[in-house]
Amino acid sequence: MFTRDVCWIVAAFLLLPAAARAQAPPVNSARLKVLLPHRYAVLELEGKVTRMSGTERTFVTPPLEPGAKYSYTLKATWLGPDGKPVVREKKVPVTAGQEATVDLRDGAEVAPARPQLDVAYVATPPNVVEAMLRAAGVRPSDVVYDLGCGDGRVAIAAVQQFGAKKGIGIDIDPERVQQSLFNAAVEGVAGRTEFRVGNVLKLDRLPDANVVTMYLLPEINLKVRPLLQALPAGTVVVSHDVDTGDWPPDRTERVRDPGGTVHTIFVWTIKAR
């Protein structure tokens, strides 16, 4: 690698605006096109997570010294068919004024088939996420589980905005879990979050949970209710817009999102048995 300006080059490379990437690169710049097997694969460039998504991602370097040799190390991570991470890493040479293409799809394992979904994915507005976590009283010592985590926003907000020890998301849809992993990496909280493919109806325990959040259907809330009621005393359960039948909440709150829709937050604190 040409190392004299590598730190500056990598920083500038990652910060170029999307508009610049859409244009032809300047004469002394290079274009790097990366082909990936999943639109939410986590892509690192020289150890730094890139924010772009999609199965084809194009980057333009800052001006390079003509004739000098440069290379960039790429690392991509995505979920394989067994739900475990697949990692591909390559070092790619680039030259001023030219385009380099790296295909990380070669030999890639196909992601798990998407199942029949019991709950359609509907994103919770950010201000409602914040209200749910505030209602739960999330603290730095807490482990927060989000059942049916969608794009991971609740677990991410728990650690990012409220300082939770860990955020754990579980979703039956591998597409959403991969998106959650991508979002956590982009937001810089991958080390304090965990996302996995799983059916919430088949869970028999939630290890170390202090807070459990969910945005499911009434019939699913009823089915997971025994799991929730068996949690240790003091655990807080928060449900967005859906109650749990004849298990009365300890309190409810209402929050209006930016579009004017009113959302109800149900809160339970597990009692000693």
Side-chain angles (χ1 to χ4, degrees), residues 129 131-139 142-149 154-155 158 164 166-170 196 200 203 205-216 220-221 224-232 234-240 242 244 247 251 265-270:
V129 170
M132 291 172 68
L133 295 170
R134 188 183 302 110
V138 174
R139 303 161 297 178
D142 286 340
V143 174
V144 179
Y145 277 78
D146 187 32
L147 306 184
C149 65
V154 174
K166 191 168 187 178
I168 300 174
I170 302 171
R196 59 177 182 264
V200 300
L203 297 174
R205 63 193 188 99
L206 300 173
D208 303 319
N210 306 105
V211 174
V212 180
T213 64
M214 53 193 186
Y215 184 19
L216 305 170
I220 297 180
N221 273 20
V224 300
R225 175 172 150 179
L227 171 70
L228 302 174
Q229 292 178 321
L231 291 167
T235 305
V236 180
V237 177
V238 181
S239 179
H240 174 200
V242 183
T244 54
W247 183 25
R251 67 182 191 278
I265 297 171
F266 300 91
V267 184
W268 298 262
T269 300
I270 304 302

Side-chain angles (χ1 to χ4, degrees), residues 1 34 43 57 84 90-91 107-108 148 158 166 174 200 213 220 230 245:
M1 174 179 285
V34 185
L43 179 63
R57 308 180 197 180
K84 295 181 180 179
K90 285 188 179 181
K91 180 173 285 189
K166 191 168 187 178
V200 300
T213 64
I220 297 180

